[in-house]
Amino acid sequence: MPGGRLTQQERQQIALGLADNLAYAEIARRLDRPTSTITREVMRNGGPAGYRSDLAHRATEHRARRKQAAPRDPRTSAPQPYGRDAEAVRAYEELFTTVMMQSGMPQMMARVLASLTLSDSGSLTAAELVERLQVSPASISKAIAFLDEQGMVRRERDDRRRERYVVDNDVWYQSMVASARATAQIVATARQGVSVFGADTPAGVRLENTARFLDFVSESITRAAEQAREILHTGPPQPPSDDDTA
C-alpha cells in the first residue's frame, strides 16, 4: 500500500470517484489507500459536494509550507500522559474530527468537541482550547455556542471562577434527549400538515407516514437514552462487608 502524500493524479481520481457517487471505501480500494486517508482528504477540502482536485492540491501544498514555518503542534510537542504515542494521538484526534464532520457537524465545532472528548479531564477552558487548536477566542466562542445549543457540552465554573466546557456521559444523554425533542417537533409539524392537505391525499399520506416513523424513532431514542444513562451511572457492585457476611 503506498504511503506519503496524495499526488495530484490521485486527487483527480478522487474527484472522479465522487462524481460517480462512489463510496470512500471504493475510491480508497482503487487507489490502494486507507479509507481514512480518502475521508480526511475529502472532508478537509470542501466535502463530497465541494471537492475540487486542483484546489485540494494547492491547499495541501500551502498547509505544508505553513507547517514548516510554524512552531510545532503543541499536541505532539508536549509529553503525553500514560506513555501514549503523541503522533498516534494526533492522528486519532483528526480521525475523530473527520467522523464528526461526516455526521454534519461544522469543522470548528467538530475540532472543539474532539478536544474536549479526548482530554483526560473531559473539560477545558476557552484559553486552553485556543492554545490547543491554535485558533482565535472568537472561533472557540462560536463553536461552544453551537455545541451548547445542541446539548453536547455543558458549562461550569472551576475554583478560580473560570468557565470550563465539559463533555461527559450525561452530556451525551442530554444531546440524545435534545435530538429526540427536535424530532418530536417534526412529528407534530407533519401531523399538522395532514389536516391541511387531507389524510386521503398523497401528500397527506406521506406526511402521516413521516410522522409515524419519526414518532417511533423519537420514542426509541428517548427510551434507549434513559436505559443507557441508568447503566452508565451505575457503579460496579461493591463486595460484601464483614457485617453483611456475619
Side-chain angles (χ1 to χ4, degrees):
M1 181 177 293
R5 295 176 183 168
L6 290 165
T7 66
Q8 190 164 15
Q9 183 178 9
E10 285 177 315
R11 289 191 168 93
Q12 291 170 350
Q13 292 300 313
I14 291 173
L16 291 173
L18 293 172
D20 289 338
N21 294 319
L22 297 181
Y24 293 151
E26 176 60 21
I27 297 174
R29 187 189 66 78
R30 295 186 180 191
L31 294 178
D32 196 21
R33 291 276 192 171
T35 302
S36 59
T37 297
I38 307 304
T39 302
R40 285 196 300 269
E41 166 70 14
V42 174
M43 298 307 299
R44 158 189 297 173
N45 293 288
Y51 185 82
R52 300 292 183 273
S53 60
D54 53 342
L55 295 179
H57 196 70
R58 285 201 296 270
T60 301
E61 291 180 337
H62 175 72
R63 283 194 295 266
R65 289 193 297 269
R66 187 176 60 186
K67 186 175 181 180
Q68 290 174 352
R72 292 188 64 190
D73 188 332
R75 293 171 295 176
T76 55
S77 59
Q80 289 289 317
Y82 303 103
R84 294 170 181 145
D85 182 285
E87 185 58 33
V89 169
R90 185 206 62 77
Y92 180 78
E93 186 166 339
E94 186 175 339
L95 175 62
F96 188 100
T97 300
T98 299
V99 170
M100 291 298 102
M101 290 169 62
Q102 282 185 288
S103 73
M105 188 177 292
Q107 182 180 24
M108 183 52 60
M109 291 62 172
R111 293 185 67 197
V112 169
L113 181 63
S115 293
L116 290 168
T117 302
L118 303 181
S119 64
D120 283 306
S121 65
S123 72
L124 295 167
T125 65
E128 288 169 339
L129 284 165
V130 166
E131 181 180 3
R132 185 184 181 99
L133 298 178
Q134 298 293 291
V135 296
S136 69
S139 297
I140 298 299
S141 178
K142 183 177 180 181
I144 289 295
F146 173 89
L147 293 170
D148 190 18
E149 183 179 338
Q150 300 297 315
M152 303 195 75
V153 300
R154 78 167 190 268
R155 303 167 188 256
E156 63 180 33
R157 296 280 179 178
D158 62 16
D159 53 5
R160 295 170 57 185
R161 304 302 299 166
R162 298 176 304 178
E163 188 170 67
R164 301 189 71 87
Y165 310 118
V166 182
V167 167
D168 58 17
N169 290 336
D170 202 56
V171 163
W172 287 106
Y173 164 78
Q174 295 295 342
S175 176
M176 291 296 99
V177 170
S179 175
R181 194 176 297 123
T183 302
Q185 290 180 333
I186 299 175
V187 171
T189 302
R191 291 218 159 105
Q192 182 180 350
V194 173
S195 63
V196 173
F197 288 89
D200 296 329
T201 67
V205 170
R206 188 179 306 114
L207 286 168
E208 177 59 29
N209 287 338
T210 298
R212 292 174 60 192
F213 174 79
L214 292 180
D215 193 26
F216 180 85
V217 170
S218 178
E219 289 184 2
S220 298
I221 289 175
T222 302
R223 185 165 54 252
E226 292 286 357
Q227 292 172 347
R229 187 190 199 194
E230 190 174 322
I231 293 171
L232 289 171
H233 285 205
T234 301
Q238 298 297 318
S241 64
D242 292 338
D243 293 338
D244 294 333
T245 57

